[in-house]
Amino acid sequence: MLLSINDQDPRPVYVQIVNQIKEQIQRGTLKPGDELPSVRELSVSLGINLHTVRRAYVVLRDQKLLVFRLGQQAKVAKLRSQPASSEEVTAAIGERLQELVTEAFLLGLSPDDFRNLVNKQIDKLKEQAK
Amino acid sequence: MKIKFIHPLWTHIPAILALLAGVAFTLMALPLPDPAPLHFTWGGQPDRYGSPWMSTIWQAGISILYIVLSIVLDEAWARQEKRKTFNWVSLFDDVTIAALATVQITYVNMLASSNYVYPFPWVLTIIAGALAAGIAIILEKMRPYRHYESALAIEDVDQLKAEVTKIVKSGQPLVYWEVQNPVYSRVLAVVVPLLMVVVAATAWSEVPWLSVLIALVGIALALVYGGFRAVVTREAITVRMGMLGIRLLKLKTSDIALAELHSFAPLKDFGGYGIRFNREMKAYFLKGDRGVKITTRAGNKYLIGSDHPERLATVISTVIS
């Protein structure tokens, strides 16, 4: 597992960790059952607060991407076999999608430009996952 | 799950025949006296009595355990071979079980004679062990070489290299982390210590010092729980062990001259798994036959075993460059 913290990134550090772990799961670099470092180990290695790492792990656990119990290493959870229901999708990404669409339109993108941008990003992710 | 053996099972025939000989001889000598002498002084005089089946159960139990262990070790050796090499580990079960069977047969013979004096049969045991070793050597020489294709795929690490290069250039903190935590080490770290603690507790009233020793060894084994972890940061490469994260190795990245992929045969090159030494290097691995060989500027060499050696080598090489 590869992680880095970007001081220039306006997002909170825990969000950066969450996103990087998600990307690695999506790419297949991290597979279900793979162990992750302990909260302490990761916080020492990255030189960040223990609670920041713990918060990232809790977010990933709440999103059912990690499993961990007391005294056990955190592990990558089994990937869902069925796509999420539309209610789950709306709850998880609806608000952020709305923000993204608004942002894109304010930047002057047409609906087609935005669709192309999304398709390009999907193709890029597929390429990385190969 | 069907296991396809690379190492032929017929190399264990001498051990199996010795085990059967010991059991068959015992069955032919029935009925055995009850109670039978179980323990003897150096002079061969009995000093403890018990069930006559005790020695048969021990002989058969230990023999079966040795055969299973030998099958596992021989298979591990065969899978690590790049060409036919002499597997001295294969003699292990044949020699020990032949010796055990000799002891069992002479013991049953003594019981049948009703003269309960048992001087240990050193000469016969050595002859039986040597005979079994001779047959085992011939069988090992006859064993054909079979190539084993490792399931570990060679990974494409171009994207990872680009990512690490970008992070290194940006000056951001970085951590690459991977673990080797195979099932056998988890069993070794949980089941065996538990058994040892139970044994220590039961032996406490009779031999307290032995109980303490067994309990300490059990606790030491439990420390392995969690496997070996390799952590690469911008500043150092660290290998840690177990749930307590005991540090086994720490190398400053500025002290490293070279990091390269390395294939090895754990049993042949290092005599097993764990923290290992040979003439060339010090090694840390719990599974697999590939890793990253690190050479320091002082000329010291270290081997870190890895499930993803290409990734680990790429990250270390990029960080030190």
Side-chain angles (χ1 to χ4, degrees):
Chain A
M1 184 180 78
L2 177 72
L3 290 177
S4 72
I5 304 298
N6 186 355
D7 294 337
Q8 309 300 317
D9 193 327
R11 294 172 301 172
V13 172
Y14 86 91
V15 176
Q16 291 186 41
I17 296 174
V18 166
N19 287 344
Q20 287 179 63
I21 292 175
K22 277 184 182 175
E23 273 173 32
Q24 288 175 58
I25 293 172
Q26 182 270 327
R27 256 189 249 161
T29 314
L30 284 175
K31 293 188 168 61
D34 278 0
E35 286 179 19
L36 266 65
S38 68
V39 169
R40 191 175 170 278
E41 219 170 351
L42 192 54
S43 64
V44 170
S45 302
L46 284 170
I48 57 175
N49 195 293
L50 207 87
H51 298 291
T52 309
V53 179
R54 195 189 305 278
R55 190 168 177 191
Y57 277 18
V58 168
V59 168
L60 288 163
R61 185 190 61 183
D62 293 346
Q63 294 180 4
K64 296 187 173 62
L65 291 169
L66 288 190
V67 280
F68 59 91
R69 293 185 196 96
L70 194 69
Q72 283 190 352
Q73 294 283 106
K75 283 182 185 171
V76 177
K78 280 182 187 167
L79 296 178
R80 54 167 78 235
S81 50
Q82 298 285 327
S85 65
S86 58
E87 290 82 16
E88 275 182 280
V89 172
T90 309
I93 60 171
E95 205 170 308
R96 279 181 290 157
L97 197 59
Q98 178 65 44
E99 282 173 20
L100 266 181
V101 172
T102 310
E103 196 88 7
F105 289 166
L106 289 174
L107 285 168
L109 263 68
S110 68
D112 281 343
D113 289 342
F114 185 70
R115 279 190 203 100
N116 287 337
L117 198 67
V118 172
N119 286 336
K120 260 188 197 171
Q121 195 59 35
I122 291 169
D123 290 344
K124 193 179 162 189
L125 287 175
K126 277 184 187 168
E127 191 62 36
Q128 284 175 346
K130 273 180 191 172
Chain B
M1 189 178 71
K2 197 181 171 190
I3 300 170
K4 193 182 174 195
F5 287 99
I6 298 297
H7 192 283
L9 294 173
W10 48 256
T11 58
H12 303 283
I13 286 174
I16 294 166
L17 287 179
L19 161 65
L20 293 176
V23 174
F25 196 86
T26 309
L27 293 176
M28 285 193 308
L30 291 178
L32 298 172
D34 193 1
L38 289 181
H39 195 266
F40 300 86
T41 62
W42 278 106
Q45 297 298 326
D47 59 1
R48 186 149 44 95
Y49 288 79
S51 166
W53 290 105
M54 189 61 91
S55 77
T56 312
I57 291 167
W58 272 101
Q59 184 244 342
I62 293 174
S63 299
I64 291 167
L65 181 74
Y66 279 8
I67 290 170
V68 171
L69 195 61
S70 188
I71 288 172
V72 172
L73 289 173
D74 286 353
E75 185 62 19
W77 182 288
R79 288 183 181 205
Q80 291 162 19
E81 276 183 327
K82 302 288 177 245
R83 60 186 168 78
K84 174 73 190 285
T85 53
F86 188 80
N87 174 12
W88 54 268
V89 181
S90 71
L91 312 185
F92 164 72
D93 60 337
D94 302 307
V95 174
T96 49
I97 294 170
L100 277 173
T102 308
V103 172
Q104 173 69 9
I105 288 168
T106 51
Y107 170 75
V108 170
N109 213 20
M110 178 272 298
L111 290 182
S113 72
S114 305
N115 178 22
Y116 297 161
V117 179
Y118 185 67
F120 192 81
W122 290 107
V123 176
L124 275 179
T125 308
I126 292 168
I127 290 172
L131 196 66
I135 297 169
I137 288 169
I138 293 168
L139 290 177
E140 172 56 24
K141 293 255 184 201
M142 284 165 61
R143 174 178 68 89
Y145 168 70
R146 289 179 190 154
H147 180 70
Y148 177 71
E149 198 59 56
S150 172
L152 205 65
I154 294 183
E155 291 182 280
D156 181 6
V157 287
D158 288 347
Q159 193 189 334
L160 178 70
K161 189 173 183 178
E163 257 180 77
V164 178
T165 307
K166 195 176 152 192
I167 298 166
V168 169
K169 278 184 183 168
S170 71
Q172 299 161 11
L174 156 151
V175 61
Y176 175 81
W177 188 92
E178 66 169 60
V179 64
Q180 279 206 315
N181 191 11
V183 175
Y184 83 84
S185 79
R186 276 177 266 168
V187 172
L188 197 71
V190 176
V191 179
V192 177
L194 273 177
L195 285 175
M196 291 179 93
V197 168
V198 171
V199 170
T202 50
W204 176 254
S205 58
E206 287 187 32
V207 207
W209 68 268
L210 190 62
S211 295
V212 172
L213 189 70
I214 291 171
L216 286 176
V217 173
I219 291 166
L221 282 174
L223 292 178
V224 181
Y225 187 80
F228 285 2
R229 277 109 62 198
V231 184
V232 183
T233 63
R234 193 181 281 277
E235 293 78 28
I237 292 153
T238 317
V239 178
R240 290 185 184 276
M241 180 188 81
M243 57 183 153
L244 297 181
I246 298 165
R247 195 169 75 195
L248 303 176
L249 174 72
K250 184 171 184 177
L251 296 171
K252 283 184 185 171
T253 47
S254 56
D255 291 341
I256 297 170
L258 184 66
E260 56 194 333
L261 281 172
H262 185 74
S263 294
F264 57 97
L267 290 176
K268 191 164 170 283
D269 296 343
F270 294 99
Y273 297 82
I275 306 164
R276 296 275 155 181
F277 303 84
N278 68 12
R279 284 181 190 165
E280 197 193 350
M281 65 187 103
K282 195 171 177 185
Y284 308 86
F285 58 85
L286 289 176
K287 61 185 271 211
D289 56 3
R290 296 169 73 218
V292 179
K293 187 166 96 176
I294 296 172
T295 310
T296 64
R297 294 190 195 284
N300 298 323
K301 291 184 171 72
Y302 301 91
L303 174 68
I304 303 175
S306 170
D307 294 355
H308 306 285
E310 287 87 3
R311 288 187 207 171
L312 185 60
T314 301
V315 174
I316 298 174
S317 302
T318 313
V319 169
I320 63 172
S321 67

